[in-house]
Amino acid sequence: MNYYLGLDIGSSSIKAALVDVDSGKSIGVVQEPKEEMGMFAQKNGWAEQAPLDWWLHICNAIKSLQKQYNVDKSQIKGIGISYQMHGLVLVDKQGTPLRRSIIWCDSRAVATGNKAFAEIGEEKCATQLLNSPANFTASKLKWVKDNEPEIYNQVYKFMLPGDFISYKFSNTINTTISGLSEGIFWDFKNDSVADFLLEYYGINPSLVPDIVDTFSNQAQVDEKGAAESGLAVGTPIFYRAGDQPNNALSLNVFNPGEVAATGGTSGVVYAVTESLSAKESARVNNFAHVNYTKGAAPKIGKLLCINGAGIQYRWLLNNLAVSSYEEMNNLASEIAIGSDGVCLIPFGNGAERMLNNQEIGTRIVNMNLNNHHKGHMCRAALEGIAFSFVYGMEIMKTDGIAPSVIRAGNDNLFRSEIFANTVATLIEQEIEIYNTTGAIGAARAANLHKGDFESFSKTIMDNDHVMTFMPFKDKKPYLEAYNNWKKELELILNK
């Protein structure tokens, strides 16, 4: 058998997957390190990781896969890479990292990006970058320029995390349009690197890596990369993308109207459109999707993040007298739609971008201490999180998204019938559930350099489809509950 290798570089761990080249069937997935990776935070709001630590864990994961599944390096025919978005890696001419990576959740560059948004102009940023420069990679690079000039003056190239790992395999530095767009380095109006932003920030365009196609022979493993990773010299890197575009790819989301959703600790709604509208550029992020091609109809991934999602349900698991999510779901199922008036406003995980960065916390309202019990709390939590997804979808619809189907991973929230049925019914669209991961998706994407998207889609349907939630015909009780919840939310927002 021959295999593709998929890597998913998260901030918590590295996952590595093998899939069969011919069938796309998942062979196995491993995680390194076994415990969660740490972050270095010199100040509040800062978050850094050492790029060479990612490489070490990747090499260990590859060797673990080879040993566990008795795979020879000659059987691995290509590599696909998924990585944590928005990180900044800086290297000198020898390719040595000059500092730790400033990763996605580091907020030091917020003021830098907001100043650029105001001074360049909201309209220009919206029409050309499709976003505010905000706290993205370009603004982090400007922060280094202003605050660490001795480091900045040594920079040969900046890279995103996946670019650096590709470089470690191959000694070749390059990037993709999708990657540049997630760093807010891409000018969508002119279909080129955003020179006007580089000029505003005083960044030399020579720091931008060469651009390769997302699905292509991007680079090949060299002798040093082979010696360290255990792969064969010449193994091609066929694919690279940030984790959210890659998650959408893993769920077969490529076309306008298709939406990928995740419901973990936080929630994400990622919808594909051909519209360059950016009315909600401060609340919704817009990136070049993995199948964006210069000169063709643009494929834009609109990303809306909901910080307060599964973390609410986990908090209840840890603090109610319950033993499992299954028990909580059973308790919730005994309560009628609308939770007998109890509403949970699930925004207790920091500032919410879709609420214009307000930090309103989690709130439980309309609780009657004589009539309501933990079953009402469980149902209200599932409904409240579902309602926050629907609220986010309404924001996206104002910006031109017309969902035709939602596809989601088989994770905690979407395993709950109450949650999935509530979302499906309110948005009047089916929700397809798939059992896949980012590492498996990245491995399968290594085959897309051949351009056969139809076979890729079939692979996902044949191997991963779990079930489909259909919207209920009787929407009225769900709509009443949602309107009650929205009324409570708007009372808080309008204070």
Side-chain angles (χ1 to χ4, degrees), residues 377-452:
M377 285 280 290
C378 293
R379 175 116 201 173
L382 285 171
E383 289 183 336
I385 302 163
F387 294 156
S388 69
F389 272 73
V390 175
Y391 189 84
M393 288 293 296
E394 288 182 351
I395 293 171
M396 297 182 87
K397 284 180 179 178
T398 68
D399 209 3
I401 293 297
S404 57
V405 65
I406 291 188
R407 299 190 177 113
N410 192 25
D411 54 22
N412 282 339
L413 285 175
F414 283 98
R415 276 201 293 263
S416 162
E417 290 188 15
I418 291 172
F419 175 84
N421 284 330
T422 300
V423 175
T425 301
L426 283 168
I427 66 170
E428 298 180 323
Q429 295 294 340
E430 60 191 53
I431 298 179
E432 299 174 357
I433 307 297
Y434 294 86
N435 193 22
T436 188
T437 70
I440 293 170
R444 287 177 178 157
N447 207 32
L448 280 172
H449 71 282
K450 300 174 183 176
D452 191 350

Side-chain angles (χ1 to χ4, degrees), residues 40 42-43 46-48 88-91 97-102 106 108 112 139-156 207:
F40 179 76
Q42 186 175 341
K43 296 182 180 180
W46 289 23
E48 300 179 352
L88 174 68
V89 180
L90 298 173
V91 298
L98 291 164
R99 66 176 328 282
R100 284 181 290 264
S101 171
I102 303 175
D106 185 293
R108 75 185 69 184
T112 302
S139 300
K140 291 170 180 171
L141 180 56
K142 168 64 172 171
W143 184 93
V144 172
K145 181 176 186 287
D146 289 347
N147 293 275
E148 299 174 345
E150 71 288 352
I151 289 175
Y152 182 83
N153 289 336
Q154 299 176 66
V155 175
Y156 172 62
L207 302 189

Side-chain angles (χ1 to χ4, degrees), residues 210-402:
D210 293 338
I211 299 171
V212 293
D213 291 339
T214 298
F215 307 110
S216 66
N217 192 333
Q218 300 175 348
Q220 300 81 41
V221 174
D222 72 349
E223 289 190 8
K224 187 170 186 289
E228 294 180 11
S229 69
L231 296 180
V233 173
T235 305
I237 298 164
F238 281 134
Y239 165 76
R240 191 184 327 164
D243 52 12
Q244 292 304 332
N246 179 73
N247 179 64
L249 167 140
S250 304
L251 293 165
N252 192 32
V253 168
F254 292 102
N255 301 306
E258 295 173 347
V259 179
T262 54
T265 300
S266 57
V268 170
V269 178
Y270 184 100
V272 177
T273 177
E274 290 182 347
S275 168
L276 291 176
S277 166
K279 292 177 186 173
E280 295 288 354
S281 61
R283 295 202 286 176
V284 177
N285 301 144
N286 300 273
F287 307 120
H289 193 33
V290 291
N291 55 341
Y292 182 100
T293 305
K294 280 188 73 167
K299 295 293 192 298
I300 305 298
K302 285 187 177 292
L303 186 153
L304 179 133
C305 184
I306 304 157
N307 283 345
I311 192 171
Q312 317 289 331
Y313 216 44
R314 187 173 71 206
W315 187 92
L316 287 179
L317 174 67
N318 293 337
N319 290 281
L320 285 182
V322 291
S323 59
S324 65
Y325 286 122
E326 184 181 5
E327 182 186 351
M328 292 168 66
N329 290 345
N330 289 337
L331 286 167
S333 68
E334 295 170 3
I335 308 301
I337 297 165
S339 307
D340 194 23
V342 179
C343 287
L344 188 142
I345 307 295
F347 300 117
N349 193 28
E352 285 289 344
R353 187 173 172 85
M354 75 170 182
L355 303 179
N356 291 310
N357 289 317
Q358 292 192 62
E359 190 166 344
I360 65 174
T362 288
R363 307 188 187 202
I364 302 158
V365 298
N366 303 331
M367 178 75 79
N368 184 307
L369 301 179
N370 295 310
N371 299 332
H372 297 140
H373 53 72
K374 60 186 176 184
H376 293 87
M377 285 280 290
C378 293
R379 175 116 201 173
L382 285 171
E383 289 183 336
I385 302 163
F387 294 156
S388 69
F389 272 73
V390 175
Y391 189 84
M393 288 293 296
E394 288 182 351
I395 293 171
M396 297 182 87
K397 284 180 179 178
T398 68
D399 209 3
I401 293 297

Side-chain angles (χ1 to χ4, degrees), residues 61-73:
I62 292 170
K63 290 162 189 170
S64 175
L65 268 177
Q66 289 172 323
K67 183 178 179 181
Q68 192 169 335
Y69 297 97
N70 193 28
V71 172
D72 185 79
K73 61 185 178 182

